[in-house]
């Protein structure tokens, strides 16, 4: 029986299991509605057709279920499901809830089935961007909940960028005080961040924060003097600023303190360090930078200066006992990386990203694909079909190389997205990516996927998530909000 | 002072007035919040800086304000606004509410200003499609409310189509019983329709229903035997059906009864009769149709058969004392039309639709433009700029011809849109169209429009409407839903 991140319980194909540490109550409501719980508890005697037992055998119990999920968490689950059950806890609930269907009279049933299932890739992520637009905590939590419904297990939190710095740092509170859209209403306090991490942990989702440097840092400069490079217009400073200034010791002092804080606030073993799209024009204009370039013998190759900075940053982060992920440019520039580094591929055409995946794995590094899954790029029609067809292991390479592909991430960059439109834009388009990353390589029947995805989209709608339609259709119970 | 459908009260440019018959209470809350009303009523004495008076002079009072709005309703309004007021009723409230701004301490103010304003076009519409996806009444009402915020005065209700027939007809209840997605949960009852019309009327919005025939009628055929043409595969019926069967008297009997009902249910003087995209293949396959074609001397020109049908339909609708709007194909096919017919242009490239507008007006007909405003067609980035630049009078023609342009409509077809994503997809993109149709021809500064539209988008968000962002930005109070 094939694996899938979402399923249609009335079809012949059953699939998909999650081992997220989730709570029963929530799923009880998803399956049976909130009103029926009391009624069922009261009932002492159950007829032969009522759900009384679910046996779940975990072949490789994850002893770490009360801890934080990690890239090595065992997510497999073998569960001979016998019909009839009343109570069980925390494991396979999402899958089981997807087996429940309702007949025309409102009765809930489950077909007898046996599932043996596990994910294809260990890293199945979604990137949300809280810098171009601030996302209220409510929106983040609702989408974590929806990630769990889709067996997504990584929330890549692109928390700050040029436009705003909503992360409230205990060590450097001026960063958000000056750099957020608003210092009180548009920030993530330590309590907010803790809540997000805990909410995610309870759903088996890792939270990997991204603090992208040396580019994409305009908002950092507002609250941290001398962090950014002063740009020059001729012989005088123009008043504008470029990337992080890589030639000052104060820069590295700041980064040491900052990433020390980050390493304690975010429990995941990895932090994403960015490193993409560094604009060299400001560095080129600055006489002090030019002087430094000459001293170092970099000539006019500013990618060497970028690598100089990144190298020192990586050493700082390594000293905090964290692994790191970086965007592909850092690898492309030849920076020396730790063996456990994950190279995040995001650029180019299909041919180009496949070549990049081949190069990265040929160098022995782990990699993660996002290029085909930029969900912020919208177009008319069913673009999920393209997302569904992309396969992160589809490049020229050995089996050893293919094993270095840890998974992928759907990215929803925030230029045109905020609380008003994020959720329907993300779902169910990200569900197509979720299945590609969960299911077996040979699960590629797109018509079957369309049917299951349609059912799953109405399931999300019924659970209160405004997941948009795939095409002309209806849900038995339409979305009740706006 | 220029005219605009929305404005930024803190900028130097004031504009835009509506004369919609709207209620004070709603606008009171929009302007001052619901909590302050009681407090203000209690206060007997007001200081000199408090709002105590608003003088509004209507130069041409619309005596029809308690009736239904119509294409000839006078929407002009001259209002010497003096600061300081407490109470007035129904007129210019949207405009006035847009003049209110809040300082950093929460105090509300209005700059002293004088407005003399009126719309450029009488017909400023939005088409919503409730057939590809059923839209809950709540969604329709919320969008009518938002239309009023944008001075849109026509709701073109594309209520039925191939996919479903949600209109519950008293005369032919089988149409929705069989043709709706669900006969009870996915229909618009007579009470629902009445509520929509009344809710719209109170906001100065006309409701023009569209019952599109002879194509786009698959859902009609489920509940009305022999209405559609049986398609043939060779010499035998294939079991599928084509457009409305134009050769049976029963068809016209049905249409007479049906449109008699429609003429009483919908008070507007116009009904939209569709007439677009008729597929001739089924007609071609049917031997009875072939025989009829020969009898009538139509040869193989099926557009003559289409015109034969439409001509009889138009006569039927005329007998109900309604005017009609039709899609451009009906005009293109040379059907004889009443002089007050409005030809709705929706096809082609810019050059093609401009030629069509020239041809239609040169023939002396009124016209309405939608081609550049198909808001269902989404793309990455700020497509509102293209919508804003299109001008319905921008074609080669005399002044007399230009006067025949009654306005335009933004269309949000429903294949990929339902309650989950309709509202943010419509707003503020439709606001750009709203301003093009309201403001003077020379209001074309796109940077000014961006700034005012950004303010207006946050105004809609604050009023509870999930209007999506134009670009990286924030609203003082972000959307509180999902």
């Amino acid at each position: 029986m094939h694996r899938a991140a979402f399923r249609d319980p009335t079809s012949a194909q059953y699939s998909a299991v999650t081992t997220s540490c989730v709570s029963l109550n929530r799923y009880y409501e998803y399956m049976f509605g909130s009103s029926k719980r009391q009624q069922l508890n009261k009932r002492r005697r159950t007829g032969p057709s009522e759900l009384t037992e679910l046996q779940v055998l975990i072949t490789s119990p994850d002893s770490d279920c009360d801890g934080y999920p990690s890239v090595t968490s065992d997510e497999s689950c073998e569960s001979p499901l016998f019909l009839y059950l009343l109570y069980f806890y925390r494991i396979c609930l999402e899958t089981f809830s997807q087996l429940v269907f309702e007949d025309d009279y409102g009765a809930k049933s489950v077909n007898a089935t046996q599932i043996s299932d596990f994910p294809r890739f260990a890293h199945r992520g979604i990137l949300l961007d809280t810098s171009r637009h601030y996302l209220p905590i409510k929106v983040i939590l609702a989408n974590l909940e929806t990630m769990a419904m889709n067996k997504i297990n990584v929330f890549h939190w692109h928390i700050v960028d040029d436009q705003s710095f909503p992360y409230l740092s205990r060590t450097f509170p001026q960063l958000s005080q000056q750099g957020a859209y608003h210092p009180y209403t548009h920030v993530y306090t330590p309590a907010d961040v803790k809540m997000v991490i805990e909410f995610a942990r309870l759903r088996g989702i890792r939270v990997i924060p991204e603090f992208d440097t040396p580019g994409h840092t305009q908002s950092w400069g507002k609250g941290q003097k001398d962090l950014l490079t002063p740009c020059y217009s001729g012989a005088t400073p123009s008043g504008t600023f470029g990337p992080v200034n890589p030639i000052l010791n104060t820069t590295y002092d700041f980064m040491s303190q900052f990433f020390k804080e980050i390493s304690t606030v975010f429990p995941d073993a990895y932090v994403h360090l960015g490193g993409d799209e560094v604009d060299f024009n400001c560095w080129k204009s600055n006489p002090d930078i030019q002087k430094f370039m000459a001293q170092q013998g970099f000539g006019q190759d500013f990618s060497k200066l970028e690598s100089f900075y990144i190298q020192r940053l990586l050493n700082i982060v390594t000293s905090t006992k964290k692994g790191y992920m970086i965007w592909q440019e850092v690898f492309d520039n030849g920076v020396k990386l730790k063996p456990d580094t994950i190279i995040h591929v995001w650029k180019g055409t299909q041919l180009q990203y496949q070549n990049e995946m081949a190069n990265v794995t040929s160098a022995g590094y782990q990699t993660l694909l996002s290029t085909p899954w930029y969900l912020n790029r919208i177009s008319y029609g069913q673009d999920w079909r393209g997302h569904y067809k992309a396969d992160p292991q589809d490049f020229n390479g050995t089996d050893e190389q293919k094993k270095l592909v840890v998974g992928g991430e759907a990215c929803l960059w925030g230029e045109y997205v905020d609380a008003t439109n994020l959720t329907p834009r993300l779902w169910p388009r990200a569900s197509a990516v979720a299945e590609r990353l969960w299911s077996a390589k040979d699960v590629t029947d797109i018509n079957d996927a369309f049917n299951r995805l349609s059912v799953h989209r109405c399931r999300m709608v019924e659970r209160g998530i405004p997941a948009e339609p795939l095409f002309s259709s209806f849900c038995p119970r339409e979305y009740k909000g706006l």
Side-chain angles (χ1 to χ4, degrees), chain A:
Chain A
M1 200 171 311
H2 81 226
R3 311 203 305 273
F6 43 81
R7 1 151 303 98
D8 173 3
T10 58
S11 84
Q13 307 230 3
Y14 298 142
S15 56
V17 158
T18 182
T19 62
S20 329
C21 304
V22 285
S23 89
L24 178 65
N25 287 345
R26 190 170 68 256
Y27 278 97
Y28 195 97
E29 291 194 13
Y30 285 165
M31 292 185 281
F32 305 111
S34 55
S35 61
K36 297 188 185 163
R37 182 160 179 77
Q38 205 184 2
Q39 182 193 341
L40 207 69
N41 281 347
K42 275 186 193 161
R43 197 190 292 141
R44 286 287 168 199
R45 314 202 119 242
T46 54
S49 68
E50 282 171 0
L51 192 66
T52 52
E53 187 179 351
L54 169 65
Q55 292 191 356
V56 182
L57 306 182
I58 308 297
T59 51
S60 169
D62 189 348
S63 59
D64 202 24
C65 214
D66 282 324
Y68 288 99
S70 76
V71 73
T72 59
S73 288
D74 187 337
E75 297 182 295
S76 72
C77 167
E78 264 189 25
S79 58
L81 296 183
F82 300 104
L83 198 50
Y84 323 129
L85 124 104
L86 196 62
Y87 187 83
F88 69 109
Y89 198 60
R90 285 212 315 204
I91 299 286
C92 305
L93 277 167
E94 177 59 39
T95 297
F96 182 73
S97 75
Q98 294 189 14
L99 293 173
V100 176
F101 63 96
E102 188 176 348
D103 66 19
D104 290 343
Y105 304 95
K108 307 288 178 100
S109 305
V110 188
N111 286 325
T113 188
Q114 188 163 341
I115 292 173
S116 175
D117 200 7
F118 54 91
R120 178 175 170 206
F121 294 106
H123 187 120
R124 305 178 303 280
I126 285 182
L127 177 150
L128 298 182
D129 167 3
T130 55
S131 174
R132 274 65 179 237
H133 289 97
Y134 177 81
L135 298 176
I137 288 289
K138 178 182 176 181
V139 172
I140 294 176
L141 300 187
N143 279 282
L144 285 167
E145 177 75 13
T146 318
M147 289 181 206
M149 295 178 200
N150 290 274
K151 293 161 187 169
I152 292 286
N153 67 352
V154 176
F155 169 35
H156 175 162
W157 194 352
H158 188 86
I159 191 167
V160 301
D161 205 296
D162 283 330
Q163 285 79 359
S164 76
F165 196 102
Y167 174 76
L168 201 165
S169 162
R170 287 174 193 271
T171 320
F172 300 100
Q174 285 303 310
L175 289 170
S176 60
Q177 184 70 28
Q178 303 296 328
Y181 279 132
H182 187 285
Y184 306 124
T185 60
H186 287 62
V187 294
Y188 301 108
T189 65
D192 290 336
V193 172
K194 204 168 176 180
M195 196 199 316
V196 166
I197 293 168
E198 179 65 6
F199 192 94
R201 185 185 72 81
L202 291 172
R203 286 152 184 81
I205 299 169
R206 304 162 58 200
V207 177
I208 299 180
E210 177 180 354
F211 289 91
D212 189 359
T213 65
H216 290 278
T217 47
Q218 288 295 304
S219 70
W220 302 52
K222 296 182 181 174
Q224 187 62 22
K225 198 169 167 297
D226 296 334
L227 182 63
L228 303 186
T229 307
C231 314
Y232 278 65
S233 180
T236 52
S238 68
T240 65
F241 294 88
V244 166
N245 193 332
I247 68 170
L248 300 181
N249 285 330
T250 53
T251 291
Y252 301 101
D253 294 341
F254 168 82
M255 292 296 172
S256 294
Q257 287 185 74
F258 184 78
F259 279 101
K260 188 175 172 199
E261 172 183 322
I262 296 309
S263 74
T264 61
V265 169
F266 293 90
D268 199 78
Y270 279 80
V271 59
H272 200 301
L273 298 176
D276 59 319
E277 298 185 312
V278 182
D279 180 352
F280 295 148
N281 286 313
C282 183
W283 281 350
K284 281 180 189 167
S285 77
N286 182 304
D288 296 328
I289 300 269
Q290 290 162 5
K291 197 169 149 197
F292 184 83
M293 291 282 287
Q295 284 169 354
Q296 296 284 331
F298 291 164
Q300 287 303 304
D301 186 354
F302 284 84
S303 72
K304 287 186 176 158
L305 180 61
E306 180 182 349
S307 295
F308 171 87
Y309 166 80
I310 292 276
Q311 198 71 67
R312 292 191 64 172
L313 178 70
L314 298 185
N315 294 341
I316 287 168
V317 173
T318 300
S319 76
T320 69
K321 314 285 186 213
K322 294 286 184 185
Y324 42 76
M325 299 168 56
I326 38 88
W327 296 109
Q328 68 180 77
E329 284 97 321
V330 177
F331 168 82
D332 296 344
N333 287 340
V335 174
K336 191 180 148 206
L337 301 161
K338 283 195 299 179
D340 65 345
T341 301
I342 297 177
I343 318 290
H344 198 162
V345 173
W346 70 281
K347 287 171 74 169
T349 63
Q350 186 181 18
L351 185 65
Q352 286 170 328
Y353 78 67
Q354 288 173 345
N355 286 340
E356 182 78 5
M357 299 288 278
N359 291 340
V360 167
T361 53
S362 154
Y365 291 110
Q366 299 179 90
T367 186
L368 189 64
L369 181 62
S370 280
T371 309
W373 298 316
Y374 264 42
L375 301 188
N376 49 305
R377 301 204 73 88
I378 54 171
S379 59
Y380 186 67
Q382 297 195 35
D383 58 358
W384 72 271
R385 292 172 183 270
H387 305 144
Y388 190 75
K389 284 174 186 163
D391 190 309
Q393 286 179 326
D394 191 10
F395 61 84
N396 287 325
T398 64
D399 286 353
E400 280 307 303
Q401 281 178 267
K402 301 296 172 80
K403 283 178 191 159
L404 291 168
V405 179
V406 297
E409 287 186 1
C411 298
L412 191 61
W413 295 99
E415 283 85 351
Y416 300 102
V417 170
D418 71 1
T420 61
N421 62 348
L422 181 141
T423 310
R425 194 162 290 190
L426 188 57
W427 310 104
R429 293 161 79 226
S431 305
V433 182
E435 165 147 312
R436 177 55 51 237
L437 296 172
W438 176 278
S439 300
K441 192 181 177 66
D442 60 1
V443 177
T444 54
D445 182 333
I446 200 142
N447 294 323
D448 183 53
F450 177 86
N451 293 332
R452 286 182 294 108
L453 192 50
S454 296
V455 170
H456 188 54
R457 146 13 225 197
C458 285
R459 181 184 293 126
M460 290 189 277
V461 167
E462 189 153 340
R463 293 176 182 183
I465 304 301
E468 69 180 16
L470 296 171
F471 195 52
S472 300
S473 62
F474 72 103
C475 292
R477 283 176 278 266
E478 302 290 355
Y479 184 60
K480 291 190 174 60
L482 267 197

